Amino acid sequence: MKEVGIGKNKSIRINMTQQTYTTSYMAYTSVQEMPEHYQTLIEQAKIATNDSHAPYSNFKVGAAILLNNGTVIKGSNQENASYPIGFCAERTALSAAASLASYEKIKAIAITAKSANNPVLKPAAPCGICRQCIFEAENKHHQDIEVILTGESGEVFVFKSIKDLLPLHFDANFL
Ligand code: THU
């Protein structure tokens, strides 16, 4: 219960409480100090940036998906002169994984970016649409997907599940 002022000497009582989200993740100071399997996947994401088509933003994003069977599937952002049509790297990689190995569960996705404008010195964060798509893949396979975020250099963040990056997620239970 909270007393809220609504004008001169007037107030009303409103039933509301303040809620807080907390997110927990691992932060490594650099790729080099991570366990080897992370380094390998991040390396694949970095290689994927070379396939990026980003003549408009000069922001090249790479994603590498690790499947349960050990296969790695890469994706990169593909821009278009009609800007809104462009694909993000994460969704390109997810589509490739769904097409090439639709029944194989996804263990992890590493995401990285490099830019011709400014060096990316902090972990590249997936956009909202990509978060929702990674969440859909978690639900499809009934398995959490580890999300590894890195820039050109500097810190690397590891989230156990995309849910940690997508509070109040929208899923089929609403439908
Ligand atoms: N981009 C991605 O590939 N993934 C994201 O999660 C964020 C943004 C791309 C889209 C566009 O080609 C460029 O980065 C600049 O927004």
Side-chain angles (χ1 to χ4, degrees):
M1 192 78 89
K2 193 178 162 121
E3 194 93 10
V4 178
I6 54 165
K8 212 175 173 189
N9 300 327
K10 278 189 182 165
S11 66
I12 50 170
R13 283 166 179 268
I14 294 180
N15 267 317
M16 62 178 183
T17 55
Q18 183 168 346
Q19 306 286 324
T20 309
Y21 285 119
T22 52
T23 289
S24 131
Y25 58 95
M26 301 305 292
Y28 294 83
T29 50
S30 72
V31 178
Q32 291 73 29
E33 72 166 48
M34 300 183 83
E36 208 175 308
H37 68 280
Y38 284 126
Q39 297 199 30
T40 309
L41 196 61
I42 290 168
E43 185 56 30
Q44 290 300 308
K46 285 183 186 282
I47 289 170
T49 61
N50 297 327
D51 300 319
S52 162
H53 174 65
Y56 308 105
S57 71
N58 290 320
F59 192 77
K60 294 179 176 242
V61 185
I65 285 176
L66 175 65
L67 302 177
N68 275 13
N69 68 5
T71 306
V72 173
I73 293 179
K74 302 197 292 294
S76 54
N77 58 329
Q78 301 297 320
E79 297 184 349
N80 194 288
S82 174
Y83 293 175
I85 296 177
F87 297 106
C88 288
E90 298 88 328
R91 279 178 289 143
T92 307
L94 285 168
S95 300
S99 307
L100 297 169
S102 62
Y103 295 107
E104 202 60 45
K105 292 175 192 273
I106 297 175
K107 220 179 194 144
I109 181 168
I111 302 161
T112 190
K114 66 182 181 193
S115 170
N117 304 334
N118 301 300
V120 183
L121 303 177
K122 58 182 182 182
C127 76
I129 294 178
C130 289
R131 289 177 202 213
Q132 182 70 25
C133 288
I134 298 169
F135 179 54
E136 185 71 22
E138 279 196 355
N139 291 334
K140 175 183 167 188
H141 295 297
H142 308 289
Q143 178 172 291
D144 284 353
I145 298 173
E146 205 172 27
V147 182
I148 302 144
L149 307 181
T150 175
E152 284 170 66
S153 58
E155 278 187 299
V156 184
F157 297 160
V158 180
F159 296 81
K160 282 206 174 82
S161 159
I162 194 65
K163 292 188 279 294
D164 295 331
L165 279 168
L166 194 66
L168 272 180
H169 25 264
F170 179 78
D171 63 19
N173 293 320
F174 283 103
L175 305 175

